[in-house]
Amino acid sequence: MCCGSISIPDDLFLQAAEALSNLVSEKDIAVGRVYPRLADIQEISVQIAVSVIEKAYDLNLATVYPKPENLEQFVRDQLYNTDYPTFIPDTYEYDMSEFQ
């Protein structure tokens, strides 16, 4: 975890479950989903992490001090970046009539 929690007690799992349940929208429920859309997993994960980290600090389990002022940005800075640079060279369309 980003906050360096010394342990992960049930309270943190319960906090994660509560945070997840709070992120299920009325629209999700209307279409029969009990979880948020999978397409939103990265954003949902950030929100859950922030909630769990807050709880870890409240329970004095966190070892990262001083506590980051902006926990959301702190979590985002720790996320694995799935955007890879391309190694395929750029290609361009040419008007071949100019070469005839």
Side-chain angles (χ1 to χ4, degrees), residues 1-99:
M1 279 195 338
C2 297
C3 67
S5 182
I6 58 175
S7 67
I8 305 175
D10 289 345
D11 288 345
L12 295 186
F13 284 103
L14 291 171
Q15 186 66 35
E18 184 177 330
L20 176 60
S21 70
N22 289 335
L23 294 168
V24 178
S25 69
E26 292 297 324
K27 184 178 177 183
D28 292 326
I29 293 169
V31 296
R33 284 192 290 259
V34 293
Y35 296 108
R37 294 175 348 117
L38 188 57
D40 300 330
I41 192 167
Q42 194 166 33
E43 184 59 34
I44 298 298
S45 297
V46 168
Q47 299 307 316
I48 293 170
V50 168
S51 180
V52 170
I53 291 170
E54 282 285 356
K55 184 71 168 183
Y57 276 102
D58 291 346
L59 297 174
N60 294 318
L61 296 173
T63 60
V64 174
Y65 285 99
K67 179 181 175 182
E69 289 182 25
N70 184 337
L71 285 178
E72 184 174 334
Q73 187 59 50
F74 177 70
V75 169
R76 289 183 189 285
D77 290 343
Q78 310 305 311
L79 286 177
Y80 181 73
N81 184 359
T82 58
D83 295 329
Y84 296 104
T86 182
F87 293 107
I88 300 172
D90 293 334
T91 59
Y92 304 94
E93 297 290 326
Y94 293 101
D95 183 5
M96 296 305 288
S97 66
E98 293 179 19
F99 298 105

